[in-house]
Amino acid sequence: MGVKILVVEDEEKLARFIELELKHEGYEVEKAHDGRVALDMALAGDYTLILLDIMLPGLNGLEVLRRLQNEKPTPVILLTARDAVMDKVSGLDAGAIDYITKPFAIEELLARIRVALKTHCNNNQNADLKDYPELNDGLDNLNISVNKESGQSEIFMIKDLVLDVPKHRVSYRGEEIELTNREFLMLKTLLENIDIVLSRDTLLEKVCGYDYVGETNVVDVYIRYLRTKIDEKYDIKLIQTIRGVGYVIKSE
Ligand code: CA
């Protein structure tokens, strides 16, 4: 028995795309395009995880979620439209474990699924995960996917923050964070060196180039920008200052 995922999405092209990607990752996939059908399938079936769109014909996703949660605790990740803040709040209140905002990078969805499987499906799925070495990669707090051709890390995920190198995109719980190029580079450098304290000189070279002439306190400025946009906005402790040495992002 592998990991079995129910994809509930009425946009058939998108559903088909998600299905192909998930199957490529080795998951078993079933689909529903209608809320009522989805609820019946979810109640009758034995799914490890459900991806649930909110705007659905038949029965909307939040209603499917509420009725399902009364009956069984299958973990649900909601697919929500951009800016549908109320949907996100109602969805989490109704018991969804996570949500992702459409349109999303498939790598981000896959990363969130790995985290969900680790966090919410441990009790009865440990045996299954052993059959999926690629899932075990996600069993750390820090989750890195590696481009098999270049050997470069492409996606970093820590504390619900996702940095997607190919898409040049950073998000927290699906909410996109707008970063300048240098802020992005700074964050990427820290994530590439998780648990390693980087000096201001090292960071400066990575972010501004080795021939940069100027003050190293430009690093502090970018760190401050990042903290405002991430640490303070989402009330998390991501970037730590090591006095007299530099900065680090820790894996826990
Ligand atoms: Ca829809």
Side-chain angles (χ1 to χ4, degrees):
M1 262 297 288
V3 173
K4 192 162 142 192
I5 301 178
L6 176 62
V7 176
V8 185
E9 170 59 70
D10 60 317
E11 291 162 55
E12 297 206 14
K13 268 189 183 167
L14 178 59
R16 178 79 187 133
F17 172 66
I18 295 173
E19 178 188 29
L20 288 175
E21 292 286 340
L22 294 183
K23 283 186 171 167
H24 182 71
E25 295 294 309
Y27 303 117
E28 224 180 296
V29 180
E30 288 180 7
K31 284 182 301 180
H33 303 302
D34 169 284
R36 267 178 213 288
V37 176
L39 182 61
D40 289 344
M41 287 174 77
L43 289 173
D46 186 17
Y47 299 101
T48 318
L49 182 71
I50 299 175
L51 302 182
L52 180 60
D53 184 30
I54 290 186
M55 295 295 285
L56 288 170
L59 202 60
N60 83 49
L62 290 176
E63 199 49 41
V64 172
L65 176 63
R66 283 193 197 98
R67 295 195 196 179
L68 175 67
Q69 295 285 302
N70 285 337
E71 304 290 328
K72 60 202 287 192
T74 312
V76 171
I77 297 178
L78 290 172
L79 310 177
T80 74
R82 188 176 287 275
D83 298 331
V85 178
M86 276 317 293
D87 283 351
K88 292 170 193 169
V89 173
S90 314
L92 294 174
D93 281 349
I97 57 167
D98 201 358
Y99 59 81
I100 187 163
T101 308
K102 292 196 276 189
F104 48 78
I106 192 69
E107 293 86 355
E108 185 181 352
L109 179 64
L110 296 175
R112 282 171 184 277
I113 288 172
R114 285 194 294 272
V115 170
L117 291 173
K118 171 203 164 192
T119 317
H120 297 274
C121 312
N122 271 351
N123 298 340
N124 48 13
Q125 298 293 341
N126 276 343
D128 296 341
L129 287 174
K130 287 196 193 82
D131 301 332
Y132 289 83
E134 73 274 22
L135 290 183
N136 281 313
D137 288 342
L139 291 181
D140 295 312
N141 188 17
L142 176 72
N143 185 338
I144 298 175
S145 102
V146 173
N147 181 326
K148 289 179 185 72
E149 278 140 43
S150 67
Q152 294 281 346
S153 295
E154 291 193 301
I155 299 185
F156 300 88
M157 182 157 189
I158 186 166
K159 292 175 179 160
D160 291 338
L161 183 93
V162 177
L163 182 141
D164 184 328
V165 179
K167 297 231 154 49
H168 208 274
R169 188 172 182 274
V170 177
S171 63
Y172 185 80
R173 297 201 165 179
E175 190 179 335
E176 190 157 357
I177 302 168
E178 300 265 350
L179 296 183
T180 64
N181 200 31
R182 282 185 172 175
E183 290 162 0
F184 184 91
L185 272 175
M186 178 84 78
L187 184 59
K188 175 171 168 266
T189 304
L190 287 164
L191 288 169
E192 281 169 343
N193 295 280
I194 204 85
D195 289 326
I196 298 170
V197 182
L198 298 178
S199 69
R200 285 177 178 77
D201 287 332
T202 304
L203 284 167
L204 189 69
E205 190 181 311
K206 290 280 186 193
V207 174
C208 300
Y210 67 93
D211 53 355
Y212 176 82
V213 180
E215 298 294 321
T216 53
N217 69 9
V218 70
V219 168
D220 303 295
V221 172
Y222 287 121
I223 292 283
R224 198 157 67 234
Y225 290 155
L226 281 174
R227 280 183 171 150
T228 305
K229 289 181 178 181
I230 302 172
D231 296 53
E232 286 166 27
K233 179 155 188 218
Y234 299 106
D235 199 20
I236 54 174
K237 265 207 164 308
L238 187 69
I239 303 170
Q240 304 195 17
T241 306
I242 307 299
R243 221 167 267 284
V245 188
Y247 297 99
V248 63
I249 292 179
K250 292 187 174 166
S251 54
E252 52 183 64

